[in-house]
Amino acid sequence: MRPTTSRPATARTGSGRPAGKRRPVTGRRLDRAGPTTRADDTSAPAAEPTDGRTPVNRRRRTVLLLLALTAVTSAAALVLGLLSWAPDPPEPSRPLTLAEGERLAAVRVTNLRDLRSGVRVTAGVDAARIELVGWVDWSRSLLYLDVGGPGAGAERGLVQRVGAVLVVRPDPAAVPTPAAPPLVPPTDRWRLHRLAPGTSLAPVLDLLLGLAADRPDATRAAPDSGARWIARDTVAAGPVDVLQAPLPGTPAPRATPGGTSGSASAEPDGQARFWLDQDARLHKLVTRLPGVGPVTVVLNRTDRPTLHPVDALGGRPGLPRALTDAERRRLDQLPARLRAKSGATLTLTAPVGTDTNLRAAGWLNWTTRTAYLAVADLGVPDRRTLLRRDTTGLARADLPAGAAGGGTAEQPERPPLPPPAGPWRVSRAGGDAVSVLVDAAVAAGSVGPRGTAVRVREDVADGQTVDVVEVGSAGTRLRYWIDRDGWLHRLELHTDADAWAHLDLRPTVVPRLAPIPRPAAPRPHPAR
């Protein structure tokens, strides 16, 4: 028998491998779920604390806490600062310095030099308050405004004034708050107007035009004038000084010592407050007017358009000069050219008085030298005056509007043909504005002595360029609107009311203008 050798006993595992020895890791293992790879052999993340206080959350909470603490601290500091802050006391009022007095004295001269300005005015209080928006042209004493507010009354609408002559274009349906009027004014519905006694508009318009003069107001800056420096302020144009002084043309009230208020409102002592810049330009005025109450005027010095007066105020200004040879020939040949046209329709607008504004429509025949028209007065809208002018003289008849052609007072219809029977009044001539205009039109351009004519300006009528030629003396001033072909488009007459009436002509075939009915001659009594 082969002898056997004994080996030390070793423990075996269930797989038959010796205990204490391990198989090298090959990346695969067996478990209850079956074989897996190392990529699947990842450890589960550690469980977060149940209260969510991870390091990241703790840092975030700390930052938010610090920001909230900073905000609370800043707010507390701001409140404490506001509670402890007090504004600087206003500077006390004082007499004007020499420079301030010179600026105040030059205000009206500066306005005249600047020519024009936009303006906004509030005058009066409560139901009597009026508001005005528009422009003032100090160089021509011209105002062009839209009037509104609860106290506007019959003046609600557009207003133009040149000197003392006021024309209105009433608009009762306009909204209470005014707006800037159209830069080119409407051509219709303007009428000469007289402001009722006690109206607030008249003193306000006088105040606006009175803010210009051709020389400084030295007396307003005198030591005994009561003028004082009140405060500093800022307007849209920049910093200004608020000065207290009497209005131009008013007596200086006694100076009141001890005024220390820095407020910039009007005082009840009759003085006004002027917001002036360093160039003596007025930007705001606050005052009180008798019968009106508080008045605030705000000027927009950058809003300075060229203003156009309406026809009733003479139209655009011009530079009168002598006629050229061509203009003189057209004027001399005017009668022959008009007779060659035979006739025309005519439309008349005549502001002849503050209570008399006339409108008319009719025909003109140069061949028979006859004119026939219906005249309406805006103040008497239900009546018409028929006017017929021929070689025998001038005849008039007053009839109800329906029997004289109808239409409205603003736009009457042409008179009926043949002329109706009625109480016709016959005269050899008439001296009123309508008669003078009609006579001048029938005269077919007989314009008087050669040396009295001047060209006022160039204008436009019916789309045609015309020369406006003025003829006559200061007593009777007529203007002829003649185009470059020699046709007469318009005749204008300067009336006694310092306004301008005008008669417009349109060439047409004129119907036969029958004579007026003559009263039958009394029959002789039969001889007994």
Side-chain angles (χ1 to χ4, degrees), residues 207-223:
L207 171 65
L208 292 176
L209 291 179
L211 292 176
D214 57 359
R215 56 178 54 88
D217 301 319
T219 57
R220 299 176 62 212

Side-chain angles (χ1 to χ4, degrees), residues 279-445:
D279 296 322
R281 286 187 174 89
L282 179 65
H283 295 271
K284 183 178 177 181
L285 170 66
V286 175
T287 187
R288 298 184 70 88
L289 293 177
V292 178
V295 177
T296 300
V297 179
V298 178
L299 299 175
N300 185 351
R301 313 294 304 208
T302 61
D303 186 13
R304 306 172 59 250
T306 299
L307 303 183
H308 301 281
V310 296
D311 293 336
L313 297 177
R316 296 188 300 105
L319 296 174
R321 59 165 175 79
L323 301 182
T324 64
D325 292 340
E327 293 162 353
R328 169 55 65 181
R329 283 194 299 271
R330 287 196 290 269
L331 186 61
D332 292 340
Q333 295 169 2
L334 186 59
R337 290 183 182 275
L338 295 182
R339 283 193 293 269
K341 292 287 187 180
S342 176
T345 60
L346 59 84
T347 304
L348 181 139
T349 301
V352 296
T354 53
D355 297 317
T356 307
N357 290 272
L358 304 180
R359 306 289 188 266
W363 296 277
L364 176 62
N365 189 319
W366 282 291
T367 303
T368 61
R369 300 175 67 85
T370 303
Y372 180 40
L373 58 155
V375 183
D377 187 341
L378 298 183
V380 191
D382 57 345
R383 301 290 294 178
R384 298 288 185 272
T385 297
L386 298 184
L387 187 149
R388 191 181 191 279
R389 198 274 194 199
D390 57 23
T391 55
T392 63
L394 193 67
R396 290 185 175 92
D398 296 324
L399 297 171
T408 64
E410 187 68 44
Q411 292 182 327
E413 296 291 338
R414 298 186 186 97
L417 288 171
W424 289 91
R425 307 183 307 276
V426 180
S427 61
R428 295 299 301 173
D432 58 279
V434 175
S435 301
V436 172
L437 269 176
V438 172
D439 287 346
V442 171

Side-chain angles (χ1 to χ4, degrees), residues 5-157:
T5 58
S6 61
R7 294 180 181 178
T10 59
R12 299 275 181 177
T13 64
S15 61
R17 291 192 300 270
K21 291 186 178 181
R22 296 182 179 179
R23 177 183 291 182
V25 177
T26 61
R28 297 178 62 88
R29 65 183 178 88
L30 294 176
D31 53 18
R32 294 179 181 178
T36 61
T37 62
R38 178 170 295 274
D40 297 327
D41 189 15
T42 56
S43 301
E48 295 184 0
T50 57
D51 59 357
R53 294 181 180 177
T54 63
V56 174
N57 288 340
R58 284 196 296 270
R59 286 194 299 271
R60 185 178 300 158
R61 288 174 177 273
T62 303
V63 171
L64 292 177
L65 183 60
L66 291 175
L67 290 176
L69 183 60
T70 302
V72 171
T73 304
S74 300
L78 179 60
V79 171
L80 292 175
L82 291 175
L83 293 176
S84 60
W85 176 83
D88 294 333
E91 298 182 47
S93 67
R94 53 171 173 76
L96 302 183
T97 65
L98 179 60
E100 291 164 350
E102 291 175 349
R103 275 193 285 147
L104 181 61
V107 166
R108 295 205 292 168
V109 176
T110 303
N111 287 340
L112 187 62
R113 181 193 63 201
D114 286 352
L115 306 180
R116 298 175 294 274
S117 175
V119 64
R120 180 179 291 271
V121 181
T122 302
V125 295
D126 301 331
R129 188 182 79 255
I130 60 173
E131 299 174 3
L132 299 87
V133 180
W135 299 278
V136 54
D137 187 334
W138 291 296
S139 65
R140 290 185 285 163
S141 294
L142 170 63
L143 290 168
Y144 180 27
L145 304 165
D146 185 14
V147 181
E155 287 78 35
R156 184 182 305 279

Side-chain angles (χ1 to χ4, degrees), residues 316 321 327 330 455-469 479-492 504-506:
R316 296 188 300 105
R321 59 165 175 79
E327 293 162 353
R330 287 196 290 269
R455 180 185 182 273
V456 176
R457 67 176 185 273
E458 181 182 283
D459 216 306
V460 176
D462 301 326
Q464 300 290 322
T465 301
V466 299
D467 295 306
V468 181
V469 178
R479 288 180 177 176
Y480 294 77
W481 291 41
I482 308 172
D483 67 20
R484 303 301 161 81
D485 294 328
W487 170 252
L488 178 64
H489 290 261
R490 171 178 286 188
L491 269 170
E492 285 185 312
D504 293 311
L505 302 167
R506 306 288 183 274

